[in-house]
Amino acid sequence: LNAAPGRAPRQRVRFLPAPAPGGRGAVELVAARVPVLADHPLVRGPRFRKLKIGAGHRLDVKASGVFVLGIGHGNKLLTDLYNCHLTKVYTVGGLFGKATDDFSDTGNLVEKTTFDHITREKLERILAVIQGTNQKALLMYSNIDMKTQEAYELAVKGLIRPMGKCPPIITAVRCLQFALPEFQLEVHCLHETQQYLRKMVHEIGLELKSSAVCTQVRRIRDGVFTVDDALPRTRWNLQSIQEAIRNCQLKVETELEKTLG
Amino acid sequence: AMAGVVRRLLRRGLGVAAGPPNPRQLRETEEAAPVFQYAGKAARRKDRVFVWGFSYSGALGVPSFVRPDASWKKPRRIQPTPYRLETEEKISSAACGYGFTLLASNTRDITKVWGMGLNKDSQLGFQRSRRDQTKGYEYVLEPSPIPLPLEKPQQTQVLQVSCGRAHSLILTDSEGVFTMGNNSYGQCGRKVVEDEIYSGSHLIHQLKEFDSRVVQVVCGQDHSLFRTKKGTVYACGWGADGQTGLGHYNITSVPTKLHGDIAGVNIIQVSSYGDCCLAVSDEGDVFGWGNSEYLQLASVTETTQVNVPRHLPFKIGKVKEAACGGTGNVVLTEEGNVFVWGYGILGKGPNLIETAVPEMIPPSLFGRSDFSPDIRVAHVRCGLSQFAALTNRGELFVWGKNLRGCLGTGRMEDQYFPWKVTVPGEVVDVACGVDHMVSMVRSFT
């Protein structure tokens, strides 16, 4: 970063003595633009000595996926994005037949159960119930008076979203794959933690009269940032980071304008 | 020598040092763990009944709400959320009247119908009081069997029940229709007897003379409608608002065939709860008659009472189902859209109070979105001032006036747009009354 060409040094108008036409030794002041010495790279030193990097929504040790970071001035945008309360999308993988104490497959075994009675239909029914109850929670925590016409119009458009503090809410769940004993869900949620998602998998197992553990939690979307925008480990260099920032700038700006006005 | 013995014991593994379990040990303990079975492969989904609303009339069928079994417990006037009601048989049909409920099962046993709630006009038949064997109960707090005078009690099946303000109708498959309750306007289909005392009456009237088998019975507030297999509609009862549709405003005490715009039309569904009636034909047309003070029929006429069935020319598509409430009506079209009109809280926010022309409720309120585009409303039902809609996913949405907690949302406020009721199961059918509701639910697994 420091090797990149920096800002051009500031210019200042100085009145410098210059030899005047006619007359030996007579000097007159001529205005000239002169670079300020204080801006000289040898005086100033390297432009960046440390960088301020802030993290967006938390991501577990056992989970993977999109992780948003803000650099320097981007940290202010991070707080704004947090206040937008946009949904995050996860792919959650689960396994029927086991129950562990920390709801993931690396924990201590608590119980083993049969799962041959589970069908995709039953799973989808449970998912529909989860969606329905969370829909109600969504409306309740958005702090709008249900009796107003405004509330009705927002509910029709589906724009009711809690803008303040609220417990984790799941806005949509869908079953992507189902192959006993494994299954994969796509979850759209707000204000959640990865452990909450693992607990949800455990509770789905309980509802289906069996047990389930979570094998994989992967965030595929965080607000406006998707997996396509994200940089894998092989591309963690200055070039790609700068390119990524440039690509996302427009998206972030439009989203902030739309939500916060 | 002692140390040597101890060391040999340790090596033999009797005193194994407990360190962090290595993966092989973990796997072995896992495999050795017992497997529990909570549900077998042939596990069936259970059928349940949930009730909610005003309980002091006994209509919910839970006696501990009215008369608590322990002295420190307080009586529960309103049940704001769905409460499970234990029934002996699987209930196939339920109906809510004005303060009472009927539950029917299609079993071949002798007891086919149970009733609970108000019984001041013997709308639940004669319930012999245990304290005085000659008198009957005026309030029935628990689902009590209703003895029907069947000729073949172990072969006949009850298909459907319906309840009005103070009378009820029970439809069987081979023995016609049984009517009980108040008959001061001839709504039970028999001649009006002056000064008849209905309380504690044993009389259950049987109606068999129709042009073909009756397939649907509907009770309005003080009138009864019968729909036969051929698609004709019969009516009897009070007619001062024209709700009998027979061309006059008098009482009818014998079920008489309706003409007007439905003559010759194959009607596939009839509905009524207050004083307005709607009928749906097999081609998707809607016909209405009865009270029109709340603009229910204002699209065809300015008069407030219509005593002949009139075709309602709505351009909303083919209608599949219709339901009438006290002041508002709702229809469901083939595409799964819900249209409301009339007066009151119609479901489109607090600004829409009355309309004579049907207005569609946006399907996004029932859960349809880009994420789940195949959600459709499957059935619509009406109470006196509430509406209920069932989706194909088994979700129940209610809206309207929340009279004594009858919406089941858990709140006491009126609901101006469809709101989902949290029921632990897939809702198969719902019956709406004045201040309570009954739903038939199947468990998830």
Side-chain angles (χ1 to χ4, degrees), chain B residues 1-2 15 28 50 59 97 113 161 181 183 244 281 285 314 321 330 351 355 367 387 404 428 433:
Chain B
M2 276 308 296
E28 278 170 3
F50 282 84
V113 189
V161 281
N183 193 42
T244 45
S281 74
D285 296 316
F314 297 141
E321 205 177 55
V330 62
N351 286 0
T355 166
F387 300 87
R404 300 187 274 266
V428 172

Side-chain angles (χ1 to χ4, degrees), chain A residues 226-252:
Chain A
T226 60
V227 179
D228 307 318
D229 302 324
L231 297 169
R233 197 187 261 273
T234 51
R235 288 187 53 204
W236 285 1
N237 50 30
L238 181 61
Q239 226 50 9
S240 354
I241 293 178
Q242 281 178 329
E243 204 184 294
I245 295 179
R246 245 172 282 146
N247 290 343
C248 295
Q249 231 168 17
L250 188 60
K251 273 200 276 190
V252 171

Side-chain angles (χ1 to χ4, degrees), chain A residues 88-104:
Chain A
K88 299 181 252 317
V89 182
Y90 288 81
T91 37
V92 176
L95 190 74
F96 284 122
K98 256 175 39 163
T100 55
D101 57 354
D102 69 347
F103 311 135
S104 75

